[in-house]
Structure formats: structure tokens, C-alpha cells
Amino acid sequence: MWNSLKTMWIVFLHMFHRRATIQYPDEKPNIPPRWRGRIILSRDPDGEERCVACYLCAAACPVDCIALQATEDEHERRYPEFFRINFSRCIFCGYCEEACPTDAIQLTPDFEMGEYNRKNLVYEKEDLLIDGPGKYPGYNFYRVAGITIGGKNKGEAENEAPPVDPHSLLP
Amino acid sequence: MNEWAAIWVNLILILAVLFAFSAMLSWIERRLLGLWQDRYGPNRVGPFGVLQIVADSIKLLTKEDWIPPFADRAVFVLAPAIVAVTTLLAFAVVPIAPGIGVVDLNIGLLFFLAMSSLGVYSIVLGGWASNNKYSLLGGFRAAAQMLSYEVFMGLALMGVVMLAGSFNLRDIVAAQENLWFCIPQILGLATFAVAGIAEARRLPFDLPESENELVAGFHTEYSSMKFGMFFIGEYVGITLISAMIVTLFFGGWLGPLLPPLVWFLLKTFIVIVCFILLRAALPRPRYDQLMTYGWKVMLPVTLVNLLITGAVVLSAA
Amino acid sequence: MEATFYLSGVIAVAATLMVITRASAVHALLYLIVSLLAVAIIFFVLGAPFVAALEVIIYAGAVMVLFVFVIMMLNLGKAAAVKEREWLSPGMWVGPSILSALLLAELIYILVQNVQDVQGAYGGTAISSGAVIDSKEVGIALFGPYLLGVELASLLLLAGLVGACHLGWHTELRFGSHSASRSDRARS
């Protein structure tokens, strides 16, 4: 009984505390940069698409909301012909970002994606692709991995170091 | 003829004010809960959110009024009406101020108890007619809880009746001219307040609907205005219990300087605020705790109170 | 006042008939509640408001809630209603109803005789001629001439209480000290 009265008194004193509410549409909340929000596809510093259409994100996705089709350009470089994310299924778990070998797919601190029409929640590649490198400004996958161009294999071009043989890293 | 007109004006005004206040109470409660939980509560519709209740009622009225095909149709429709009717009828005997009040019954207090005991049917039958296991469990809980708490609700008031020597609520108020009954009847006040909260099915005694175990308890299957009736019934019920506490223990309309009506409304409002604070602060007990509390703590306390009051009245006489 | 008396009388009789003829137990109980409420109004009209209030509080408000509670616990389904309907076949009720009709006729005959007597005595109608009996008079009557009855009733209730306590005690012993600690926690 005494405990209950004490609780009531403490709750009553909360009248004079500051309110914790952030009045959202008027007052924007402070979202941390690692927030898992709207998914984007980034470009490398040269302005090329980072995505190599490896399907790892689609495989990692627990709700199967990512659909893509790989294709190759004239230099035999893989890129997605289409890349579709159904945000009405997406749970923003971030597994796709973790799976991505080229840091192409990234989650951003944006959550205001409400739509009146469900179909508008299916984002195509042109909706997903941004112009910048996203969270990793200097990173260019092909600068690290090398690339084969017409007649020359990886590491055979001028001013190019041979690629690291991953087997040499084994103990 | 003029007298009849006065009675009708009285009745309609009380009803209108009661409904408006009960509706506003849902907003007041949410704002106060917000205040005590470091948040705002509804503050979007109109200034400070006062028009929230308009939005809510539009929503309630335009919702689909669904009767489940597996429900017992007649009883399902009847149940929400009972709670609204009984609480409103009980309000008829509340003496608001001299000259304001619907009826002046000689057995006013008993009438109030009778109506509040009939209110149980609404919950029990609503739970049964929904033909849903959660509703049924809510109905069970309501039946057991309200029966147990009704027992000492009546007994808690008998001390007041002894001191006032009447079941008439106006006489009881008049008897508090010198000393409000909250001082000699402090035990009666405590037990009646607990029983009143249990009867109004308010937190911390809202086990019939406890939403984290029973979905929404007895009104799981109710929608639209049928749910609205339960909703209004609950708020009229809390107003009723507060008005009764004020009438029986805090001298009703008595008070210095201000006019009687203002005193009554002010006191009632303060009691309601206390109930909301109780809701904001206390967790819901387990069911067996509720029963043990009712039968093993509250009932003996009321009996002891009755015994002491009887002895005092007898020795004073 | 007389009109309300007859109206509630008719309601009480009709509701009681419905109680007997309903197949669903809960519906029958609902009619029984209506019947009790009608009887309460009859008491009120006859000048016994205290008894009327107690009728509502105790019978309609408490005893019948327990009935409803038990019926709900039993979870009577469609099968029970079908069985009930079988029981309501004419062969079942003709005999008892003829006998009770005879009793009713007898009762009416006695009542009519009595009404004439009362009319003779008071020179008015039987209904609403008596003064209102308030709770104080009821109390004085109970603890005056009927003291023995009150004490006997309280003994009976005590016996019921002891019996209920005994039945409840057994289950508590089965769970041992567990339930004792529970109740202790509830108190603090």
C-alpha cells in the first residue's frame, strides 16, 4: 500500500519533468548516420555503377524483396540490367548491405517513404541509383580488384600492380 | 406545469453536460497520462487537441458495425446498451447542488448500488455473446471481480449511512455540514474508492479487458458505436464513482465562498484526476492477487470499519 | 401507480413464462433477470423501496450474476439447446402446467377474496394504499419481532460460509506453502 502511494507520488512529480516527445513532422528527429533506412545503389568515384550483379544481396534478403538481372557490357563487365526492390516487403534488416562485396547497396538515414499506392513502393534501378559514392567516398572496387580489358589481363596494363593472389595469403 | 418544465430542463442539461464531460474526459485522461509519462498526448486536432474527441467520434460512427456470425446476435446487441443505461440511471440520484439533480430518492444510495450491480451484466453478457475465448475469459473475470468487489462496496458505505442516518444522498450531504465524512470514515473512503475503481473496470483493476493477455477482453469483438457504448459507459462510470465519492465523503456541494455547483464540479474533477493518476502509476495485479486483495484485505477492513463506526454511533447516541 | 403495478406484473409473468420456454440457458437467465426487476418494481410501487432495492442488488445483481457465471463456465453448445428443445415438447410440459394452472386458479381465488377484505378494511384499492415502509422500519422489524428468524438465517449463512471455506481449504493444502506465499505477496 505504501509502495503504491510512493509510486503515485513519483509519477505525479513527473508533471514537472521535460517531455521526451519529439513532435515529428514539425521537429525532425536526429537520425544517426548508420540508420537503416531507404536502400540506395551507389556509384564509385569515377561515376560508374558499383553493382556487379552478383546476386548476393538477393540471396541474403530474408524477405526476398530484391530482384535483379545480371548482364555484361562491351568490356565484359557485369552490371544489373534491372534492379528492383519491393519496399512494401523490405524489413530494413541491412543484410544486403553486409552481403555486398562492392559496397554498392547501402542503407541510408531516410525513412519517409510513405505512399498511398502500394505499387509506388516498388523501386526500380533509376529510383535506387544515386550519383555519389554514399558512405564510402574513396572506394572503387575495380581499383582494388583489377579488371580485364580488351587483350590485357588483370595487372598487365601500364602502371598497374599485379592483383593479389588470394592463395598467397594462406598461412 | 412549470415544475415539470424545470425538471425536464434539469434532466436534459445534466444529461448533456454529463455526455460532453465524459467525452472530454477521454481527452483529459490522455493528456494527463501524457503529462505524467513525459509526453504530450493528443495535441494535433484543434488547440491542445481538444477536438480529438470529435475526430474519435467521427471515426467510431463511420466504422463498420460488425456483428460476428458466430455471436449470439440479440445478446450481443443488448450488452453494450446495458452499461450505458445503468450508469446513466445511477447518475439520476446524484445530488449535484441544491435544486440540481434528477430525482431525490429516499433509497438513493441503494439505487446507486443496484444500478452498479446491474452494470456487470453488460460485461458478462458481452463477453459471453461474442463467442470468443478471450471475450469469455474477460466475462469470467468481470463476473468474479465485480461480484467480489460489490460485496464490500456496499458495506463500505454503511458507515456513512450510520453517521448520516439515511440512505438519501441529499441528507448524507447535509449531514456533512460540520465535518466531511472523509475524516471519520477514512477506511470507508479507501475501501469504497478501491471498490469503485474495480466496478468501473479502471486500471489497475481492468482485468476483464487487460489488453496484453486477452486482446481486449470482453469487447474484443465489438466495433463501431457498440464499442463506443462501452467506451462512454466506462467514462460515465468513472464520473459517477467520482461524484459518489464526493457526495458521500467530501461533502458534496458544501464549501465556502464559491457557489455549490462549482464546488461539486471542482471536487469531482479532482477525484477524477486522482483516478487517472492511479492509472498512470500502478500496474495491473495478477488475477489471484486481485481476489485475495478483495476478500482477505478489503472485506475485513470494511467489517472492522463498520464495527468501529457502529460502536461510536451507539456510544454517542 | 396502479398502471405501473399491473404493467410490471404482466412483464414479470411474461418474462417468467419465457424463462421456462427458452432453449438457451443464458437467454432463460436473461428473462429471469427481467422478471426479478419487474418484481422489484412491484415492491417499489407497493411501498417497500428497501426491499425493491435489495431485490435488485442481491437477486438481480449478485445471485443471477453467479448463475450466468456458472452457465458460462459450463459452455453449453448447440447440443444442449437441442436437448432442451426436446424437453420442451408438449408431452413433457402438459402435465405439470395443468397442475400449476390449478394452483394458480386457487391463488387467484384467494387473492380476490383478500382484495375484497382489504378494500373493506381501508375503503380504497389494495394497491398503493399502504404507507411507504422505509429501511428503518424494516430494520426494527427484523431485529424486534423477527430476531429469531434473523439469527437462524445468519446461522444458515455461517454454515454455508464454513462449508465454502472447507472446500476452498482443501485445494490450498494441495498446493502447500506455495499459495500461502502468494497471498502474502498480494498483501504487501
Side-chain angles (χ1 to χ4, degrees):
Chain A
M1 192 71 197
W2 174 244
N3 274 347
S4 302
L5 289 176
K6 207 172 117 190
T7 315
M8 280 174 73
W9 175 244
I10 290 168
V11 171
F12 182 76
L13 287 184
H14 266 265
M15 213 156 141
F16 309 107
H17 285 215
R18 217 169 62 85
R19 296 179 207 231
T21 313
I22 295 165
Q23 304 232 49
Y24 161 61
D26 309 335
E27 207 182 304
K28 297 291 182 194
N30 184 22
I31 296 177
R34 281 178 161 195
W35 177 276
R36 298 199 305 266
R38 183 165 58 88
I39 298 173
I40 50 108
L41 286 174
S42 58
R43 291 172 189 275
D44 60 25
D46 298 343
E48 297 292 326
E49 282 176 41
R50 272 177 175 158
C51 181
V52 293
C54 65
Y55 292 103
L56 280 178
C57 49
C61 183
V63 291
D64 279 348
C65 71
I66 301 178
L68 70 156
Q69 173 62 54
T71 186
E72 288 182 353
D73 66 2
E74 62 271 25
H75 304 296
E76 296 178 359
R77 182 206 183 287
R78 280 165 66 100
Y79 73 97
E81 190 180 1
F82 68 82
F83 197 107
R84 190 176 292 145
I85 297 181
N86 184 351
F87 278 110
S88 61
R89 304 189 76 181
C90 181
I91 56 171
F92 302 99
C93 61
Y95 285 3
C96 47
E97 186 175 7
E98 281 180 36
C100 188
T102 62
D103 286 340
I105 195 164
Q106 294 174 8
L107 277 77
T108 56
D110 174 24
F111 57 90
E112 293 166 320
M113 323 171 50
E115 293 282 357
Y116 284 104
N117 189 348
R118 263 165 201 269
K119 285 186 179 150
N120 294 347
L121 282 166
V122 178
Y123 279 40
E124 294 295 341
K125 191 169 144 190
E126 55 268 29
D127 307 318
L128 295 166
L129 208 56
I130 60 165
D131 283 337
K135 293 181 206 172
Y136 309 98
Y139 180 72
N140 188 335
F141 174 69
Y142 289 109
R143 289 282 150 85
V144 178
I147 191 168
T148 45
I149 50 171
K152 284 180 186 146
N153 218 341
K154 284 180 185 173
E156 287 174 5
E158 271 179 56
N159 299 328
E160 201 179 41
V164 178
D165 177 12
H167 296 291
S168 71
L169 298 172
L170 290 172
Chain B
M1 208 58 222
N2 223 349
E3 223 167 78
W4 275 105
I7 290 171
W8 276 105
V9 166
N10 215 332
L11 202 157
I12 288 164
L13 269 183
I14 289 174
L15 210 60
V17 169
L18 185 63
F19 266 124
F21 183 71
S22 304
M24 282 304 286
L25 200 55
S26 86
W27 170 75
I28 294 171
E29 174 168 39
R30 283 147 81 181
R31 286 294 296 200
L32 281 176
L33 285 179
L35 187 64
W36 285 318
Q37 292 166 358
D38 296 347
R39 55 192 178 84
Y40 284 91
N43 64 347
R44 293 277 150 183
V45 196
F48 300 104
V50 281
L51 296 179
Q52 183 67 40
I53 187 59
V54 179
D56 282 355
S57 41
I58 290 171
K59 186 188 164 189
L60 270 181
L61 285 168
T62 51
K63 280 251 171 181
E64 184 189 358
D65 196 356
W66 194 63
I67 299 174
F70 44 81
D72 188 315
R73 219 185 143 81
V75 182
F76 187 83
V77 175
L78 182 71
I82 297 174
V83 72
V85 167
T86 50
T87 41
L88 285 177
L89 267 180
F91 227 98
V93 292
V94 174
I96 294 168
I100 304 178
V102 182
V103 283
D104 185 13
L105 266 185
N106 255 338
I107 49 156
L109 195 61
L110 290 174
F111 185 79
F112 159 74
L113 288 174
M115 285 305 132
S116 75
S117 68
L118 284 184
V120 190
Y121 285 113
S122 181
I123 319 303
V124 176
L125 292 175
W128 176 79
S130 299
N131 210 349
N132 165 319
K133 56 188 168 189
Y134 297 115
S135 304
L136 193 66
L137 281 172
F140 282 158
R141 287 182 174 191
Q145 169 184 333
M146 291 174 117
L147 263 181
S148 316
Y149 279 67
E150 231 160 53
V151 170
F152 65 82
M153 186 187 198
L155 284 176
L157 295 181
M158 289 311 125
V160 171
V161 174
M162 273 186 211
L163 288 180
S166 171
F167 280 116
N168 187 321
L169 291 170
R170 285 184 189 272
D171 291 352
I172 290 175
V173 173
Q176 300 176 63
E177 193 82 63
N178 299 319
L179 180 66
W180 290 356
F181 285 158
C182 59
I183 296 163
Q185 283 294 315
I186 182 78
L187 286 176
L189 170 62
T191 45
F192 180 69
V194 169
I197 301 164
E199 285 290 293
R201 302 175 305 286
R202 290 276 307 179
L203 258 146
F205 298 120
D206 71 336
L207 280 108
E209 66 166 288
S210 57
E211 62 274 3
N212 36 16
E213 323 151 28
L214 296 184
V215 191
F218 60 93
H219 56 51
T220 306
E221 298 288 353
Y222 281 91
S223 64
S224 184
M225 214 43 216
K226 290 205 195 67
F227 168 74
M229 292 279 238
F230 279 126
F231 195 67
I232 289 175
E234 183 180 332
Y235 282 107
V236 175
I238 194 78
T239 318
L240 174 69
I241 293 294
S242 307
M244 287 307 287
I245 287 179
V246 166
T247 307
L248 296 167
F249 295 100
F250 291 98
W253 63 76
L254 300 173
L257 295 172
L258 294 171
L261 181 61
V262 176
W263 267 116
F264 183 81
L265 294 180
L266 195 69
K267 287 176 189 172
T268 309
F269 187 71
I270 291 171
V271 175
I272 289 174
V273 168
C274 287
F275 279 155
I276 294 172
L277 177 62
L278 210 64
R279 179 186 173 165
L282 296 184
R284 186 185 300 131
R286 216 172 46 220
Y287 198 69
D288 62 316
Q289 289 174 335
L290 178 90
M291 282 299 168
T292 321
Y293 190 63
W295 287 105
K296 292 191 181 165
V297 181
M298 283 317 203
L299 186 64
V301 166
T302 40
L303 289 176
V304 166
N305 179 41
L306 212 57
L307 213 63
I308 295 170
T309 314
V312 168
V313 168
L314 210 61
S315 65
Chain C
M1 275 313 229
E2 224 168 300
T4 48
F5 170 79
Y6 285 117
L7 186 63
S8 45
V10 167
I11 290 172
V13 171
T16 313
L17 276 179
M18 295 299 262
V19 175
I20 302 164
T21 54
R22 283 316 86 187
S24 159
V26 172
H27 289 179
L29 279 180
L30 276 180
Y31 280 111
L32 188 50
I33 295 159
V34 172
S35 166
L36 288 171
L37 291 180
V39 171
I41 291 178
I42 292 174
F43 276 132
F44 192 85
V45 172
L46 290 179
F50 187 67
V51 180
L54 287 190
E55 173 100 10
V56 177
I57 294 173
I58 294 170
Y59 285 97
V63 175
M64 295 316 292
V65 173
L66 274 180
F67 274 40
V68 173
F69 187 74
V70 170
I71 296 285
M72 275 163 67
M73 285 281 226
L74 294 177
N75 192 20
L76 301 168
K78 289 250 158 50
V82 169
K83 199 187 273 175
E84 196 78 29
R85 230 167 252 129
E86 276 169 23
W87 286 341
L88 289 172
S89 61
M92 286 293 215
W93 56 262
V94 162
S97 50
I98 289 174
L99 291 179
S100 17
L102 284 176
L103 271 181
L104 182 70
E106 216 171 307
L107 191 69
I108 290 173
Y109 174 72
I110 295 166
L111 277 180
V112 167
Q113 291 288 319
N114 263 10
V115 165
Q116 279 162 356
D117 289 352
V118 171
Q119 268 172 337
Y122 291 98
T125 51
I127 307 151
S128 73
S129 62
V132 171
I133 299 162
D134 65 8
S135 42
K136 192 176 271 179
E137 285 167 62
V138 174
I140 288 169
L142 279 181
F143 286 95
Y146 298 105
L147 185 61
L148 187 65
V150 171
E151 289 304 323
L152 283 176
S154 66
L155 268 180
L156 194 65
L157 287 175
L158 185 68
L161 203 65
V162 170
C165 218
H166 177 71
L167 287 176
W169 208 254
H170 261 294
T171 54
E172 204 153 333
L173 276 180
R174 211 174 294 154
F175 290 115
S177 59
H178 182 61
S179 59
S181 62
R182 246 188 205 176
S183 54
D184 283 343
R185 242 179 290 142
R187 207 161 293 145
S188 58

